[in-house]
Amino acid sequence: MTITNAPAPRASGATSSVAPGTRVAVSTVIFTLRRSAGQERASVALPLVRRQSDPHEGQWALPGGWLDIVEDLDAAASRTLAETTGLAPSYLEQLYAFGAVDRSPTRVVSIVYWALIRPDEMADTSDENVRWFDADDLPNLAFDHNQIVAYALWRLRNKVGYSQIAHGLLADEFTLAELREVYESILRRKLDPANFRRQVEGTDTLLPTDRFRKGSHRPARLYRFNQDVELADRGPLGVRP
Amino acid sequence: MTITNAPAPRASGATSSVAPGTRVAVSTVIFTLRRSAGQERASVALPLVRRQSDPHEGQWALPGGWLDIVEDLDAAASRTLAETTGLAPSYLEQLYAFGAVDRSPTRVVSIVYWALIRPDEMADTSDENVRWFDADDLPNLAFDHNQIVAYALWRLRNKVGYSQIAHGLLADEFTLAELREVYESILRRKLDPANFRRQVEGTDTLLPTDRFRKGSHRPARLYRFNQDVELADRGPLGVRP
């Protein structure tokens, strides 16, 4: 038994344990909701970037890039996302580190971030090498990026049940019907309007306003999220940049 | 705007963006419950290892070590934990990647894992350089390890509310009083026995057995966790090794 966490000789194998060839990258999963013509409800969509070089030249991949040695992880995620897609979400959350030995021809550990953006924040790009895809209908992506998206979707569909994650997909004020539609799109099923209203009104996460959405139906009250609850949800590391 | 996630020239600065000097380490936070003489309830404890070399020689640190280039992240966490403490939990979960530029004299990104073990799984070590500490009463640790433990404690105290995390701290069968004591120790407050019973019996996470704990009080029914729910809770990446 060794009792240090500094580099220690391995019991077997001739390679150094300092991992000289391991590089660190960051990638980002940006989810939004998008409704196509004829669709009953919106679906979850994310931007992908076409790779311009090997490995996997020509394939679609998550936006990302290498960590710079003088750059924090969060800063690297924001920078590489902006460089590749022009997107600049106000808050990126760390999702998971992917580091399987065979995920790339060379050894790369990717720290993956994710964020939600409202449909009106989708960058209007004329770049043919950046495109939004339905998260449930992806091509074969570079590296292990299909697995990464599947994990992010699983987290999204779990987290929506106990947190205010839908916040990131809505304007500051919204009706209960608009909130319900976000949940329906993420969970891919209809929710009963009366049950939904009862459930969200039973929590302290929503604050009613004095304003109403007027349209072809009867006016619907506008709500906003309770920021106090939302900030606690993000945890001690989840401070806005 | 660039449209590749391969290494790209930076807008400013002369350093390569491939981060030649960044190394990847793994560290592990192992929580258990420990009751000291005279304490009303158990407290959360974790093992630390005394560093044998610079930086921070002589200070206590989380068990860990360098990622080997031919080793998956999970395997590195298990190996370095066993090498430094002799502990081998059946399941380690990835917690967070810590990568602030100034967290170490050289650039190190640490992928942190965590696990819970039952008090009877605590390794009986005679090594004076491995010691169990109360998580709420730590000395100044090496690097940013105080911050890492604080984050892990925050996650533990949040997660206990909506998942079966207490499972990892109990034997396969347990009474409701024993389960309540685990929650009380983690949350550091008394819980009302009748309310607690109502809450946990209202979920599908506990399965009653036909067996009873007999002692000085009247016999108490033994329960076990519903494995189906527990596995779903771990997510698609949370497979047992």
Side-chain angles (χ1 to χ4, degrees), chain A residues 2-3 5 7 10 17 19 49 51 62 64 66-69 71-72 83-84 94 97 101 107 127 154 235-236, chain B residues 2-3 5 7 10 17 19 49-51 62 64 66-69 71-72 83-84 94 97 101 107 127 154 235-236:
Chain A
T2 65
I3 40 72
N5 66 351
R10 297 294 304 282
S17 62
V49 177
R51 287 186 57 79
L62 291 169
W66 300 112
L67 172 68
D68 193 283
I69 196 166
E71 182 179 48
D72 288 341
E83 284 176 358
T84 53
Q94 196 188 104
V101 171
R107 185 71 197 275
D127 191 326
W154 175 81
Chain B
T2 64
I3 39 75
N5 66 352
R10 297 293 305 283
S17 61
V49 178
R50 200 197 305 266
R51 287 186 58 79
L62 292 168
W66 300 112
L67 173 69
D68 193 283
I69 196 165
E71 182 179 49
D72 288 342
E83 284 176 358
T84 53
Q94 196 189 105
V101 171
R107 186 71 198 272
D127 190 327
W154 175 82

Side-chain angles (χ1 to χ4, degrees), chain A residues 31 116-118 121 164-170 225:
Chain A
F31 285 137
L116 304 175
I117 61 170
R118 300 193 308 269
E121 293 175 308
Q164 299 196 54
I165 206 163
H167 187 171
L169 297 163
L170 282 168
F225 279 107

Side-chain angles (χ1 to χ4, degrees), chain B residues 7 25 28 48 69 79 83 100 105 142 193 199 209 214-215:
Chain B
T28 309
L48 296 174
I69 196 165
R79 172 184 60 81
E83 284 176 358
Q199 278 173 14
T209 73
K214 296 178 180 103

Side-chain angles (χ1 to χ4, degrees), chain B residues 27-39:
Chain B
S27 291
T28 309
V29 181
I30 302 293
F31 285 136
T32 194
L33 295 181
R34 183 176 68 164
R35 191 191 299 258
S36 305
Q39 272 193 322

